[in-house]
Amino acid sequence: QKEVEQDPGPLSVPEGAIVSLNCTYSNSAFQYFMWYRQYSRKGPELLMYTYSSGNKEDGRFTAQVDKSSKYISLFIRDSQPSDSATYLCAAASGGSYIPTFGRGTSLIVHP
Amino acid sequence: SQTIHQWPATLVQPVGSPLSLECTVEGTSNPNLYWYRQAAGRGLQLLFYSVGIGQISSEVPQNLSASRPQDRQFILSSKKLLLSDSGFYLCAWTADVSGNTIYFGEGSWLTVV
């Protein structure tokens, strides 16, 4: 079992929809959780990171971590065609140099 | 601000030829440096990471090698490329020992023919 699981999609939504992207993880030692956005043929871009459980909001993006259920979510409000990309979640434990990445979910926002 | 540069962006190499991909980070000192490979539909595969000059850890045994000749320079090499080496190679860095803020370069597309 992979330590961070993510549905590859694709997830197709109409413009303006609320998007929910999710990951599950199995390692209880994970304390840091990240979301990356990757456009086609580009390097991943760090979108958000959170420490431990809770929510973090940045503009249209909200990251949520539920450590009790080992569930990571990214919500995108008022989705735009420019949000079309692959979204990767990642997790890391304290003192580890190496985050563990999910395989990414492909999101398509159509006009 | 910190920036990461990676080159070349695209290359097509014949089987058996050597490879050298280079990465440099600006605006920070003593970063942790990483090389990843991303194959279509297979996610990110960590190849090497380095916590200091001359310190290289290999995650996946293969015909690739990495070197860190300077604090902010990381090089990925191969003496003889295989077809299976084709893919998208990403250099990354972090200043945080927890790896929770890792930043990627733009990537290098390698096609071995």
Side-chain angles (χ1 to χ4, degrees):
Chain A
Q1 179 192 10
K2 217 169 144 36
E3 283 193 301
V4 177
E5 298 278 0
Q6 189 174 9
D7 188 325
L11 176 63
S12 182
V13 301
E15 183 176 356
I18 296 174
V19 175
S20 173
L21 301 166
N22 307 294
C23 291
T24 59
Y25 64 94
S26 57
N27 189 342
S28 299
F30 287 152
Q31 300 179 61
Y32 302 92
F33 304 92
M34 294 75 78
W35 283 96
Y36 289 82
R37 177 176 61 196
Q38 185 176 21
Y39 292 114
S40 180
R41 301 182 69 87
K42 297 290 186 182
E45 170 194 12
L46 179 65
L47 267 182
M48 301 185 72
Y49 80 94
T50 54
Y51 172 70
S52 194
S53 285
N55 292 1
K56 186 172 184 178
E57 187 174 323
D58 184 1
R60 295 184 296 112
F61 298 90
T62 299
Q64 191 174 78
V65 176
D66 183 345
K67 291 193 74 179
S68 63
S69 59
K70 296 189 177 66
Y71 204 77
I72 314 164
S73 299
L74 178 71
F75 299 98
I76 307 174
R77 292 183 298 280
D78 188 24
S79 56
Q80 304 294 311
S82 58
D83 295 327
S84 298
T86 296
Y87 290 80
L88 298 101
C89 62
S93 56
S96 166
Y97 299 117
I98 304 167
T100 300
F101 286 87
R103 290 195 174 187
T105 298
S106 174
L107 171 66
I108 302 167
V109 181
H110 50 87
Chain B
S1 64
Q2 300 89 356
T3 56
I4 180 169
H5 302 284
Q6 184 180 343
W7 69 93
T10 306
L11 64 167
V12 179
Q13 296 283 100
V15 169
S17 65
L19 172 73
S20 181
L21 301 178
E22 191 164 337
C23 171
T24 60
V25 180
E26 297 178 357
T28 188
S29 59
N30 197 32
N32 296 334
L33 296 171
Y34 308 79
W35 278 111
Y36 285 86
R37 179 168 58 201
Q38 189 176 38
R42 295 185 64 183
L44 288 166
Q45 180 187 33
L46 179 64
L47 301 175
F48 301 94
Y49 72 95
S50 171
V51 300
I53 296 174
Q55 301 178 61
I56 309 295
S57 295
S58 173
E59 293 294 305
V60 182
Q62 54 201 325
N63 70 320
L64 298 173
S65 62
S67 62
R68 184 170 177 173
Q70 300 181 44
D71 181 42
R72 291 169 291 172
Q73 184 184 27
F74 207 22
I75 298 171
L76 182 69
S77 303
S78 174
K79 292 182 179 178
K80 288 186 178 181
L81 284 168
L82 307 173
L83 286 174
S84 58
D85 292 324
S86 294
F88 190 41
Y89 288 82
L90 290 155
C91 182
W93 75 276
T94 182
D96 192 305
V97 296
S98 297
N100 66 337
T101 48
I102 186 170
Y103 299 95
F104 289 88
E106 285 296 294
S108 297
W109 281 95
L110 169 65
T111 303
V112 182
V113 296

